[in-house]
């Protein structure tokens, strides 16, 4: 979806999608979720790479969207329920 939108040089129509973004903790468990409705990519950037430096490579994706919903996922027991609820609202 992203490659078709940005990589086409805008020769193809933009197809908005509903997107779920998760922030994970150090164990890989989700802490916060964001649901973006009718989103499409505006910009993609990658930080400079250098073989001489020991740095983390960062990618940034800028989206346009109609609206979003943020959900604190809380305890591990409630994560699956809250993610399922958010996902169903995005469909």
């Amino acid at each position: 979806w992203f490659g078709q939108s940005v990589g086409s040089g805008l020769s193809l129509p933009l197809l908005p999608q509903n997107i779920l973004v998760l922030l994970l903790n150090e164990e890989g468990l989700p802490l916060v979720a964001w649901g973006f409705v009718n989103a499409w990519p505006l910009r993609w950037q990658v930080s400079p790479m250098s073989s001489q430096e020991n740095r983390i490579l960062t990618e940034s994706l800028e989206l346009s969207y109609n609206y979003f919903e943020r959900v604190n996922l809380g305890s591990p027991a409630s994560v699956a329920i809250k993610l399922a609820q958010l996902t169903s609202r995005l469909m």
Side-chain angles (χ1 to χ4, degrees), residues 19-42:
I19 298 173
L20 180 63
V21 177
L22 300 173
L23 173 66
L24 306 178
N25 68 12
E26 56 277 354
E27 286 95 33
L29 299 173
L31 297 173
V32 181
W34 293 267
F36 296 89
V37 174
N38 290 329
W40 63 93
L42 292 177

Side-chain angles (χ1 to χ4, degrees), residues 19-68:
I19 298 173
L20 180 63
V21 177
L22 300 173
L23 173 66
L24 306 178
N25 68 12
E26 56 277 354
E27 286 95 33
L29 299 173
L31 297 173
V32 181
W34 293 267
F36 296 89
V37 174
N38 290 329
W40 63 93
L42 292 177
R43 184 180 334 162
W44 173 60
Q45 292 179 314
V46 179
S47 64
M49 292 184 269
S50 172
S51 62
Q52 303 298 314
E53 299 177 19
N54 185 17
R55 293 189 335 193
I56 295 173
L57 179 68
T58 304
E59 291 183 77
S60 299
L61 175 61
E62 183 178 336
L63 301 171
S64 182
Y65 51 89
N66 287 358
Y67 68 92
F68 77 95

Side-chain angles (χ1 to χ4, degrees), residues 33 71-75 77-87 89:
V71 176
N72 287 324
L73 298 174
S75 69
S78 67
V79 168
I81 294 168
K82 289 182 179 180
L83 280 178
Q85 290 170 342
L86 178 59
T87 303
R89 289 193 295 272

